[in-house]
Amino acid sequence: MLMSTQNSQKQISPWKTSAHATAHCLVGCSIGEVLGLMIGVSLGLGVFWTIALAVLLAFVVGISLAVTPIIKDRGTSLTEALKIVWIGEVISIAVMEFAMNAVDLSVGGVDVPTVWTSTFWIGIALAIPSGYILAWPVNHVLLAKHLKSCH
């Protein structure tokens, strides 16, 4: 008696898929965010410009991490890869950045004299999971509406 291959294949939960997509997005956002915060605080740029730099770098790194596998795996151009990911990534990164910077700002991690201040790292430690928590349901909806894809 042969078992059906359909019965042996497991269906992946949409929430699990969106959790994976959110974690992937969080990596890029966190790298850019932390790098921007470290540069801004170290140079004494002030709160506004430090956050602006962190957001800019989060978008650059996050989108770069999204397009790289598409370019490699599918052999598409940068322009084509950007067309594939831009809507989902921009929305996901924007939500993540809003949450992360709101938390970091409320903790005071952006308004410190040096990155060696514990408040700086406490802000980051609280901001990163906050970004994930807020962006996860957003990514779930984006995936369900086919505005974002897992790559």
Side-chain angles (χ1 to χ4, degrees), residues 24-41 43 45 48-66 89 93-94 96-97 100-101 120:
H24 185 268
C25 185
L26 184 68
V27 170
C29 282
S30 296
I31 291 168
E33 176 80 12
V34 173
L35 184 60
L37 293 175
M38 290 180 77
I39 292 169
V41 168
L43 295 177
L45 297 180
F48 175 82
W49 292 110
T50 297
I51 290 175
L53 179 60
V55 170
L56 174 69
L57 291 177
F59 272 94
V60 169
V61 175
I63 291 173
S64 295
L65 289 179
E89 294 303 314
I93 293 169
M96 198 169 280
E97 281 300 297
M100 291 171 73
N101 285 294
F120 178 83

Side-chain angles (χ1 to χ4, degrees), residues 99-110:
M100 291 171 73
N101 285 294
V103 169
D104 204 16
L105 191 57
S106 70
V107 169
V110 180

Side-chain angles (χ1 to χ4, degrees), residues 33-151:
E33 176 80 12
V34 173
L35 184 60
L37 293 175
M38 290 180 77
I39 292 169
V41 168
S42 296
L43 295 177
L45 297 180
V47 173
F48 175 82
W49 292 110
T50 297
I51 290 175
L53 179 60
V55 170
L56 174 69
L57 291 177
F59 272 94
V60 169
V61 175
I63 291 173
S64 295
L65 289 179
V67 298
T68 301
I70 293 171
I71 292 169
K72 285 175 135 178
D73 296 344
R74 298 182 190 179
T76 63
S77 68
L78 175 60
T79 304
E80 287 300 312
L82 285 170
K83 286 179 184 178
I84 293 168
V85 304
W86 83 272
I87 291 175
E89 294 303 314
V90 166
I91 293 169
S92 180
I93 293 169
V95 168
M96 198 169 280
E97 281 300 297
F98 174 79
M100 291 171 73
N101 285 294
V103 169
D104 204 16
L105 191 57
S106 70
V107 169
V110 180
D111 196 20
V112 294
T114 175
V115 297
W116 304 112
T117 306
S118 62
T119 305
F120 178 83
W121 295 104
I122 291 168
I124 289 173
L126 296 172
I128 290 173
S130 298
Y132 182 88
I133 290 166
L134 194 62
W136 186 8
V138 171
N139 280 316
H140 180 75
V141 170
L142 291 170
L143 286 164
K145 302 267 183 202
H146 303 287
L147 296 172
K148 184 175 179 95
S149 62
C150 287
H151 25 269

Side-chain angles (χ1 to χ4, degrees), residues 3-15:
M3 288 185 60
S4 169
T5 56
Q6 289 179 342
N7 292 337
S8 63
Q9 292 177 348
K10 293 182 181 178
Q11 203 56 285
I12 298 174
S13 160
W15 281 103

